[in-house]
Amino acid sequence: MSDARPDPDALLAQLRSDAARAQRGKLRIYFGASAGVGKTWAMLSAAQREHAAGRDVLVGVAETHGRSETAALLAGLDALPMREVDYRGRELAEFDLDAALARKPAVLLVDELAHTNAPGSRHAKRWQDVQELLAAGIEVWSALNVQHLESLNGTVGAITGVRVHETVPDTVLDEADEVVLVDVTPDELTARLAAGKVYLPQQAERAAQNFFRKGNLIALREIALRRTAEHVEDDVRGWRVEQSGAAGNGNGGALQAWNTSGAILACVGPHEGAAQTVRTAARLAGQLNVRWHAAYVETPRLQRLAAQERDRILAVLKLAEELGAATAVLTGSDVAEQLAEEARRLNCATLVLGRSEPLKGWRRWWPATPMPLPLPRALAQRAPALDILEVGHADSSRRIARAAINGMRADEGDHEKAPVHWPGYAWATAASVALTLVCAPLANVLELSNIVMLLLLGVIGVAMRFGRGPSALAALLNVAAFDYFFVPPRLSFAVSDVQYVLTFAIMLGVGLLVGQLMAGLRFAAGVSTSRERRARSLFELTRELSAALESTQVVALGAAAVQGHFGGHALVLVTDAADQLVLPRNPPEGFDAQVADWAFRHGQPAGLATATLAAQPWHYVPLQAPMRVRGVLALSPAQPRWLLIPEQAQQLDTLARQIAIALERVHYVEVAQQAVVEMESERLRNALLGAISHDVRTPLTALIALAESLQTLPPEAHAEAARAIVAQAHELHALVNNLLDMARLESGIAGGAVNLRRDWQSVEEVVGSAIRAARTSLGNSIVQTALDPDLPLVEFDAVLIERVLVNLLENAAKYGAPPIVVGARAEPGTLVLTVRDHGPGLPAALLGREQKLFDKFTRGETESATPGVGLGLAICRAVVSAHGGEIAAANAEGGGAEFTVTLPRREPPEPAEAQL
């Protein structure tokens, strides 16, 4: 018995979905092929009926287009005032979403679902307004034409020559609770247009010459009918799934096949006429214009077919794929049960079977011989609602060209049979002999029933290890040994008691039954192992590809996964920057670069086991990603026959799709990184040019003006002008030095290290020289020092550390206020230098992220007249980092900003060593 209990997770998900749907309003869409079919009229007519029944109906938007019979249906219905929107000097009337939410009626009419709202509205599209209304629990009725669906916009535009720009996503129609098709014939719609019931006379004349041609209307009507049928089919499928687990459905929770779409299932058998069954199913599906499937059920008995017969089955499945079917290989001991379940799962209405072969030989003359129930009758019992069609016999059959699969001639192996595992039979014989020898001394000790149990145990062991045939032989040998050696009279096949005949029959029956059961278990275990292996390979590949960050990693992982599953050799070929396939430098034997390039350019499989260049020993699969083809997967499998098995072919396609998606993800990661680099480079370039254009041009302009003024100034004023020229030259010199220092430090960091000239230095001397060097920039600012009296010698590059202190002093003079305090103290293992001012402190925007001050081209005040390009602090961080230290900024107690430099230090050497 099968476990018919519902899945708890599925029930919980269903309950959550039902709860969310209960809180959400319902959406009804009046759907038509074009304007004028009567969507608004039908919607208002239904609203009048609901209003008469006592429901709260509110008209939010109703576009009558001047039609008097449509406008008459608004009488008696509450209407929501339109919202006036000022757009480019014009007053536009728009739907008032907030008023509708505040009113919250039971039913709200919002016409023209594809309408584009005026700029400044909350949502750009009216269907987005409807989504908000539904989320608020309001039932909404709306109208939509087929040409406004996003997926059909291009198709309708190609048919009519008119491209509609206002579209609605298909999901809006798919998620609608009700779709009401409003349909009229093209002749009636043309008559309405001529009578002025669709557009005004001038518009109607233009429409009749363009959009409303009869051919266009017929095509639009067909598209609308098909789209509505798809929505209804989805409703049927959802209802079937929902009712499959409902109690009291009369089927114990089984999924019933409803004859709505007329899908066909072709049942492929191991007989010669299977190809005719597939051809008939394909022809029937084409005549009915329905989808169709082909399935083959592999049982334990069919698993032992000869290689020629198995190849014929694969050829028939390949033929079904070529004719447009979705194929599957099912496994199970009951063919009828598997086919009926597959038909219910696929919602097929018709099963196409090959006609049963007539009885041959002695069976024709022995009708009483017990035969298994014919497949059509067994299917009729398990699926009484399905139509079963039997196909007649055909003289031709489908075969695989063996030369294309394994290099054999076409006439080789035609009489190949399933191999007989003779070692299993030998082991079964040996086990029966050994068990008889073991039990012989126990014949006088144990009862004969216990001897029987021991012999049956041996049969079970043989069945577990070697399968059905050897276990049947072991059962026969054990029965014979029990009769000859243990049943009186011994050493004779004669039986003194007739009851032993029943014992022999039971022993033989149990032995054969155990062998059959064990064969079924081995078959099921093999199927489960194969499925688990396919699932594991997909899981492992997906897990490894998720961590890949480069295309080379994806290539290696993908080739290893495919080669591990199919054996043989596998190659993953990717594209270069010019979107050309990159071929291997040393291609393996049999690999054809032209076939690989063909598969890449056409996006279709080629080579082995395909309809294109099938003589090739390699199979080429395009790596089709969501955006485009990313390369080619080339495979030379260890077992070429595997490529014809639908499950293995689907596995290969899935592996190829995973590899393609990973390559596309890596590609876009690289694109995003490159975009970030380009954006950052552009930002730095703009910042540098903006800063230099101001801070270089200002001193240059001043220098030119001062130099020109020297010609007109009296001699006594030349000294003052010269001092101004020197000041401007110093400022320009400092700016250029900062740029050069930053470039030198950046090049040193990029090269691996900054070249430091470390030496034991006196901190007091470096601080004093820095104050003297910054005197020009400091001007009249007071600088104080707070140095520990017993500062030791410290090993660092004196020139670079002096530059750090100079930049910090200049920064304090620009953005702070005097007095400026320079401090230094020695701590265990470190030297701490501080530069503090008494100004306003750090900007509020940088509090909590003070390290941003040390980025290149970053200034404390974004817009400021203070000269500078924002490189001084960046240079400080680069120098300190090169020394292995740290630099930080913070607001000091009592006001002002304080910059702290921490440098690592070690104990200074002895004086003699220092002199050396």
Side-chain angles (χ1 to χ4, degrees), residues 551-600:
S551 58
T552 54
Q553 295 176 310
V554 176
V555 168
L557 293 173
V562 174
Q563 188 168 325
H565 185 83
F566 291 93
H569 301 281
L571 294 174
V572 176
L573 310 177
V574 298
T575 56
D576 56 13
D579 202 21
Q580 298 295 322
L581 197 63
V582 179
L583 301 174
R585 296 183 178 178
N586 299 314
E589 182 180 358
F591 177 83
D592 194 324
Q594 295 182 350
V595 181
D597 185 67
W598 186 93
F600 170 72

Side-chain angles (χ1 to χ4, degrees), residues 130-175:
V130 170
Q131 293 292 328
E132 185 171 347
L133 293 168
L134 295 174
I138 301 175
E139 182 175 347
V140 179
W141 295 0
S142 188
L144 180 68
N145 289 331
V146 67
Q147 65 264 29
H148 293 291
L149 280 179
E150 182 66 43
S151 63
L152 299 175
N153 184 258
T155 303
V156 174
I159 293 174
T160 63
V162 178
R163 181 59 60 89
V164 178
H165 298 287
E166 292 183 330
T167 59
V168 173
D170 289 52
T171 54
V172 176
L173 182 66
D174 295 335
E175 296 173 358

Side-chain angles (χ1 to χ4, degrees), residues 725-739:
I725 291 176
V726 171
Q728 294 296 332
H730 276 297
E731 184 175 335
L732 184 60
H733 180 264
L735 175 64
V736 173
N737 278 343
N738 279 340
L739 291 173

Side-chain angles (χ1 to χ4, degrees), residues 376-446:
R377 290 183 57 188
L379 283 169
Q381 290 183 0
R382 288 170 171 80
L386 299 180
D387 298 330
I388 300 176
L389 176 64
E390 289 193 26
V391 178
H393 291 282
D395 295 333
S396 63
S397 63
R398 183 81 170 185
R399 294 178 181 273
I400 291 181
R402 300 182 67 86
I405 294 297
N406 51 17
M408 297 176 59
R409 295 193 309 271
D411 57 348
E412 286 184 359
D414 286 346
H415 302 287
E416 180 185 358
K417 300 295 183 182
V420 179
H421 300 285
W422 294 112
Y425 290 93
W427 277 104
T429 303
S432 297
V433 172
L435 195 58
T436 302
L437 294 177
V438 171
C439 292
L442 303 176
N444 297 326
V445 179
L446 301 176

Side-chain angles (χ1 to χ4, degrees), residues 5-20:
R5 293 177 299 175
D7 184 4
D9 293 334
L11 283 178
L12 183 58
Q14 183 66 31
L15 290 174
R16 290 175 178 171
S17 177
D18 294 342

Side-chain angles (χ1 to χ4, degrees), residues 464-708:
M464 292 179 62
R465 181 63 180 86
F466 301 106
R468 180 189 295 104
S471 68
L473 176 61
L476 289 172
L477 293 177
N478 286 351
V479 168
F482 179 69
D483 182 16
Y484 190 81
F485 292 103
F486 300 100
V487 175
R490 295 183 178 182
L491 302 180
S492 172
F493 287 106
V495 179
S496 60
D497 192 345
V498 181
Q499 293 184 0
Y500 283 111
V501 177
L502 180 61
T503 304
F504 299 155
I506 293 176
M507 286 183 62
L508 183 60
V510 170
L512 295 177
L513 179 61
V514 168
Q516 182 71 20
L517 292 176
M518 292 306 301
L521 288 176
R522 287 163 60 89
F523 174 73
V527 171
S528 299
T529 301
S530 177
R531 291 176 177 173
E532 188 272 337
R533 180 171 174 265
R534 294 198 299 268
R536 185 178 67 251
S537 63
L538 283 176
F539 169 76
E540 292 177 350
L541 177 61
T542 305
R543 180 187 59 190
E544 293 172 354
L545 289 179
S546 64
L549 298 177
E550 298 180 356
S551 58
T552 54
Q553 295 176 310
V554 176
V555 168
L557 293 173
V562 174
Q563 188 168 325
H565 185 83
F566 291 93
H569 301 281
L571 294 174
V572 176
L573 310 177
V574 298
T575 56
D576 56 13
D579 202 21
Q580 298 295 322
L581 197 63
V582 179
L583 301 174
R585 296 183 178 178
N586 299 314
E589 182 180 358
F591 177 83
D592 194 324
Q594 295 182 350
V595 181
D597 185 67
W598 186 93
F600 170 72
R601 287 185 290 105
H602 292 80
Q604 299 178 2
L608 178 67
T610 67
T612 305
L613 303 173
Q616 293 289 328
W618 283 68
H619 182 75
Y620 303 87
V621 182
L623 298 177
Q624 182 67 57
M627 297 300 296
R628 60 184 178 87
V629 178
R630 294 292 173 182
V632 171
L633 171 62
L635 172 64
S636 176
Q639 296 292 334
R641 184 182 289 108
W642 282 11
L643 296 178
L644 298 175
I645 302 175
E647 279 72 14
Q648 298 296 340
Q650 294 172 5
Q651 179 78 1
L652 181 60
D653 291 341
T654 305
L655 291 173
R657 179 59 63 91
Q658 293 295 326
I659 296 171
I661 292 175
L663 287 173
E664 188 160 278
R665 176 181 60 80
V666 170
H667 168 74
Y668 283 114
V669 167
E670 295 174 353
V671 170
Q673 291 176 344
Q674 182 65 26
V676 170
V677 171
E678 292 178 357
M679 291 172 60
E680 184 65 19
S681 300
E682 185 68 17
R683 187 187 71 82
L684 293 178
R685 174 179 174 273
N686 293 337
L688 178 61
L689 291 178
I692 291 179
S693 63
H694 177 270
D695 292 317
V696 171
R697 184 169 51 191
T698 299
L700 283 177
T701 303
L703 286 173
I704 293 173
L706 290 172
E708 291 176 349

Side-chain angles (χ1 to χ4, degrees), residues 359-381:
L359 297 177
K360 298 180 181 179
W362 60 272
R363 295 189 177 185
R364 292 186 301 169
W365 312 104
W366 199 267
T369 303
M371 297 290 293
L373 193 65
L375 182 58
R377 290 183 57 188
L379 283 169
Q381 290 183 0

